């Protein structure tokens, strides 16, 4: 917690040595004395489409901060792309969230910045910066980096335009002979039409919407395009405007806190339990990524707030599904933006008394004041509260003798809400993928991939490519997937993840054998291994433990992943590094 405001910015009280070093970095002498120092933490990175444009955005923010009386200092943290970090690289993805949070925290505290602008994109960077903002607790505003454009083609039936999730399904179609080599290469070469976050309801988009609903970014930020559509390499007018407004805003809110003692500028004032529940409802209402059930509890934990996957299930029972987006429908998140954005969704929820309108946002407005300006411009995209797509939200927690698990029901066709079939068990993603591509997975099978949890993987790899390949091969309505790893928001179909406890921590999922009968019941929220038609009891699993046949693979990926494996907390509480110590 920062010191109690004493009528001056904290960097104004730094030593002459520090001031001299600011001057050496390009600051003017009088600026060092008079202007607050605002960190602009960016994840700009030339190796990923989601981040390659962010330095342009950071420069716009910096100029606006100076215009408003502050000084902005751009600093960067490494950015990972989950789409690139598949396979072996995915062991590092969830770990990178916690490392990124630590990097931002360390930078801000070393330089004792007065305020913070977080410029982020992609799956782990936005949650990392949210965790750091909660820890350092100085005035903070987020600018998420916008969405990439789409590619128009007729190569995939029912898809007039393609987004990144379509590439994965095209892979399965190509394997099944439904796409020619030439058509498949065209999709790979052109679908990522511009820089920006993946234009689907994946984790990146979900967490950008979470930033809005938590009150930490400006309304509309989560659903704007990143770039102009003519491929000139320029930021979209909307994103550039949001960057400028965020720069002007943070300078004002910085002064509100340090000079006037207004605590509503602080993350700790904005991120109450009610705010987190508001964000959970937003995720559930639009069929957001199940990874939000990892990240929101991890962010809440930084403030001592106990939020878990059980809260997602509890809130889902009273939160209607009001929108479906890629890959669960033909609509893109940018279509949500055109329909009024996430605040149009929240306005519908507010009509049912599901939103606390009294809480503050970083703009200085209350939630109610933001909602007063929101409009649902297209009921076909944002369903009215009176006619929801489904009376419950997009996620459900399943319980049974295999533990506790999470499924994105908004992306599961009704034919697969009940499935009973034989287990096909694999200790890792690669073995399951090889079996799928070799045609060894048959309709009716339940593919169980264990030993892929946070500790066992290590790193809780996502299996979205595996599930999307199966869908493209025509198995999306006949094969279910279960894992103690995770799935991305790009997943559709009967994909059950986050099984807790995981295999490496003694969970029953590590005791499943080929041929075991698995019963999945999404209506009743059940997940069980059956013996003679009834759920197996603890004696059954105890005997399997004693048999010594289920020890699991031995893996060693070096000191950092080994440390992570030993100290990572449980999936249900956000898999936070260090929480398991």
């Amino acid at each position: 917690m920062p010191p109690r405001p004493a009528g001056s910015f904290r960097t104004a009280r730094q030593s002459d040595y520090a001031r001299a070093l600011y001057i050496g970095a390009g600051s003017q002498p009088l600026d060092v004395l008079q202007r607050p120092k605002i960190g602009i933490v960016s994840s700009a990175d030339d190796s990923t489409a989601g981040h390659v444009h962010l330095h342009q955005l950071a420069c716009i923010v910096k100029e606006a901060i100076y215009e408003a009386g502050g000084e902005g200092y751009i600093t960067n943290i490494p950015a990972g792309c989950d789409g690139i970090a598949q396979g072996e690289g995915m062991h590092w993805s969830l770990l990178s969230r916690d490392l990124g949070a630590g990097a931002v925290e360390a930078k801000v505290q070393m330089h004792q910045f007065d305020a913070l602008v977080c410029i982020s994109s992609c799956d782990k960077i936005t949650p990392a910066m949210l965790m750091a903002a909660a820890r350092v607790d100085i005035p903070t505003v987020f600018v998420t980096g916008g969405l990439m454009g789409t590619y128009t083609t007729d190569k995939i039936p029912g898809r007039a335009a393609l987004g990144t999730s379509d590439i994965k399904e095209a892979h399965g179609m190509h394997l099944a002979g439904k796409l020619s080599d030439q058509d498949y290469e065209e999709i790979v070469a052109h679908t990522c039409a511009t820089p920006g976050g993946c234009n689907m309801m994946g984790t990146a988009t979900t967490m950008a919407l979470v930033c809005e609903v938590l009150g930490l970014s400006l309304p509309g930020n989560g659903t704007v395009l990143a770039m102009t559509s003519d491929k000139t390499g320029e930021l979209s007018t909307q994103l550039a405007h949001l960057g400028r407004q965020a720069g002007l805003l943070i300078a004002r809110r910085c002064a509100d806190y340090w000079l006037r003692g207004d605590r509503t500028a602080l993350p700790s004032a904005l991120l109450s339990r009610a705010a987190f529940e508001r964000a959970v409802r937003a995720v559930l209402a639009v069929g957001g990524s199940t990874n939000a059930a990892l990240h929101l509890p991890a962010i809440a934990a930084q403030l001592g707030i106990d939020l878990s996957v059980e809260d997602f299930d509890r809130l889902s029972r009273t939160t209607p599904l009001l929108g479906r987006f890629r890959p669960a429908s033909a609509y893109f998140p940018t279509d949500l933006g055109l329909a009024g954005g996430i605040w149009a969704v929240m306005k519908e929820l507010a009509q049912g008394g599901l939103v606390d309108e009294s809480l503050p946002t970083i703009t200085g407005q209350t939630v109610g004041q933001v909602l007063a300006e929101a409009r649902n411009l297209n009921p076909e995209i944002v369903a009215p509260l009176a006619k929801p797509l489904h009376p419950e939200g997009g996620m459900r927690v399943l319980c049974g003798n295999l533990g506790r698990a999470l499924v994105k029901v908004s992306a599961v066709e009704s034919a697969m809400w009940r499935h009973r079939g034989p287990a096909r068990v694999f200790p890792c993603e690669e073995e399951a993928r090889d079996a799928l591509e070799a045609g060894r997975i048959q309709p009716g099978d339940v593919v169980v991939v264990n030993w892929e949890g946070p500790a066992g993987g290590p790193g809780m790899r996502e299996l979205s490519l595996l599930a999307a390949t199966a869908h493209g091969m025509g198995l999306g309505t006949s094969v279910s997937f279960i894992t103690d790893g995770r799935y991305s928001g790009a997943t559709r179909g009967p994909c059950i993840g986050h099984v807790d406890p995981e295999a490496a921590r003694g969970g029953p999922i590590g005791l499943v054998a080929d041929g075991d009968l698995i019963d999945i019941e999404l209506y009743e929220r059940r997940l069980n291994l059956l013996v003679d038609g009834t759920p197996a009891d603890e004696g059954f699993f105890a005997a399997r433990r004693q048999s010594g046949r289920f020890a699991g693979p031995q893996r060693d990926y070096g000191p950092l992943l080994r440390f992570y494996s030993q100290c990572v907390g449980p999936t249900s509480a956000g898999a936070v590094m260090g929480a398991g110590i």
Side-chain angles (χ1 to χ4, degrees):
M1 184 69 64
R4 182 179 179 83
S8 65
F9 301 108
R10 63 176 175 176
T11 50
R13 302 189 289 273
Q14 289 178 331
S15 70
D16 289 342
Y17 185 31
R19 293 196 294 113
L21 289 166
Y22 280 124
I23 294 168
S27 296
Q28 297 300 313
L30 288 178
D31 291 342
V32 175
L33 287 171
Q34 297 173 358
R35 292 173 177 264
K37 308 299 177 292
I38 298 172
I40 304 169
V41 181
S42 165
S43 55
D45 190 311
D46 284 354
S47 70
T48 77
H51 303 263
V52 68
H53 62 301
L54 295 186
H55 189 67
Q56 294 181 58
L57 185 57
C59 290
I60 290 173
V61 172
K62 181 174 181 175
E63 290 175 3
I65 288 172
Y66 195 84
E67 178 183 330
E71 272 201 295
Y73 297 94
I74 298 172
T75 187
N76 296 87
I77 64 170
C81 169
D82 276 15
I84 294 173
Q86 296 290 313
E88 288 294 302
M90 187 56 68
H91 289 291
W92 296 85
S93 178
L94 189 56
L95 166 61
S96 75
R97 178 197 70 183
D98 296 67
L99 294 177
V104 175
E105 179 186 16
K107 176 67 176 183
V108 171
Q109 300 295 37
M110 281 192 299
H111 283 220
Q112 292 286 284
F113 286 135
D114 297 302
L116 183 61
V117 180
C118 293
I119 300 178
S120 66
S121 184
C122 293
D123 297 20
K124 304 304 178 297
I125 298 298
T126 301
M129 292 189 183
L130 284 165
M131 290 171 71
R135 291 177 189 172
V136 301
D137 204 29
I138 56 177
T140 302
V141 66
F142 274 70
V143 187
T144 52
L147 297 160
M148 67 172 60
T150 59
Y151 176 59
T152 302
T153 181
D154 60 358
K155 302 304 181 185
I156 297 182
R159 295 289 201 245
L162 301 185
T164 42
S165 60
D166 296 303
I167 301 172
K168 300 178 183 182
E169 295 188 14
H171 174 66
M173 293 176 67
H174 183 234
L175 287 174
K178 299 176 183 178
L179 276 177
S180 68
D181 292 350
Q182 180 178 350
D183 287 347
Y184 178 59
E185 286 303 316
E186 177 189 331
I187 289 169
V188 171
H190 297 290
T191 299
C192 293
T194 70
C198 292
N199 200 344
M200 59 183 178
M201 194 54 74
T203 308
T205 300
T206 299
M207 296 309 297
L209 297 178
V210 161
C211 284
E212 277 196 61
V213 175
L214 286 175
L216 283 169
S217 65
L218 293 169
N221 192 173
T223 48
V224 299
L225 283 170
M227 311 297 288
T228 57
S229 59
D230 58 6
K231 297 186 180 180
T232 60
E234 296 180 358
L235 297 180
S236 71
T237 303
Q238 298 96 323
L239 183 58
H241 175 73
L242 285 165
R244 173 174 163 74
Q245 292 304 115
L248 297 174
L249 172 66
I250 196 61
R252 174 170 62 83
R253 297 299 277 156
C254 178
D256 286 344
Y257 174 61
W258 289 106
L259 303 184
R260 291 179 280 278
D262 181 357
R263 295 187 60 83
T264 64
L266 298 179
S268 60
L270 304 179
L271 302 182
S272 62
R273 180 171 184 85
F276 280 109
E277 293 201 356
R278 183 172 75 236
V280 171
R281 287 195 189 275
V283 172
L284 295 168
V286 297
S289 170
T290 51
N291 284 320
L294 281 175
H295 300 320
L296 279 167
I299 298 158
Q302 312 311 307
L303 295 160
I305 297 172
D306 182 16
L307 187 76
S308 77
V309 69
E310 300 290 356
D311 292 300
F312 279 76
D313 191 64
R314 173 178 58 83
L315 294 169
S316 188
R317 293 171 187 263
T318 57
T319 304
L321 181 69
L322 301 181
R324 285 194 182 96
F325 302 92
R326 292 294 180 100
S329 82
Y331 293 124
F332 293 100
T334 41
D335 294 319
L336 171 60
L338 295 173
I342 192 62
W343 286 106
V345 176
M346 301 312 292
K347 187 158 191 169
E348 296 290 345
L349 295 180
Q351 292 177 19
L354 300 178
V355 179
D356 186 338
E357 299 186 30
S358 67
L359 299 175
T361 71
I362 191 59
T363 65
Q365 294 178 296
T366 64
V367 169
Q369 289 171 324
V370 176
L371 289 174
E373 299 173 6
R375 298 288 184 274
N376 183 353
L377 302 176
N378 191 336
E380 293 296 317
I381 295 174
V382 177
L385 184 70
K387 292 184 178 180
L389 302 179
H390 195 277
E392 294 191 26
M395 296 183 205
R396 292 190 178 191
V397 172
L398 311 183
C399 294
N401 61 16
L402 289 178
R404 181 170 44 192
L406 186 65
V407 60
K408 183 176 177 177
V409 291
S410 61
V412 182
E413 295 187 29
S414 58
M416 292 300 289
W417 276 50
R418 290 190 177 98
H419 183 201
R420 184 175 292 187
R424 298 295 311 280
V425 184
F426 306 93
C428 67
E429 176 188 18
E430 287 81 3
E431 290 189 24
R433 179 200 61 208
D434 292 346
L436 180 65
E437 294 185 357
R440 299 199 301 273
I441 304 300
Q442 300 300 313
D445 285 346
V446 178
V447 177
V448 178
V449 185
N450 48 24
W451 299 94
E452 285 285 17
M460 201 179 183
R461 291 195 292 177
E462 70 170 37
L463 277 61
S464 61
L465 183 57
L466 181 68
T469 299
H471 204 284
M473 295 174 70
L475 297 172
T477 56
S478 61
V479 172
S480 294
F481 293 85
I482 301 173
T483 182
D484 53 4
R486 58 190 175 86
Y487 294 99
S488 83
T491 303
R492 64 168 166 159
C495 299
I496 298 164
H498 297 222
V499 175
D500 191 26
E502 61 173 293
R505 296 283 169 84
I509 190 174
L511 303 172
V512 180
D514 269 340
D516 285 341
L517 190 62
I518 306 297
D519 184 50
I520 300 167
E521 173 45 274
L522 301 189
Y523 292 100
E524 301 298 327
R525 293 174 161 85
R526 294 198 306 264
L527 176 65
N528 285 300
L529 186 156
L530 304 182
V531 175
D532 297 329
T534 61
D537 59 19
E538 180 53 37
F540 171 86
F541 291 111
R544 285 201 168 176
R545 285 191 184 94
Q546 293 171 4
S547 72
R549 297 188 297 113
F550 298 89
Q554 297 298 310
R555 296 169 177 160
D556 187 0
Y557 290 94
L560 188 52
L561 281 177
R562 185 163 58 246
F563 172 75
Y564 180 79
S565 177
Q566 293 167 354
C567 74
V568 66
T571 299
S572 60
V576 177
M577 185 170 71
I581 296 177

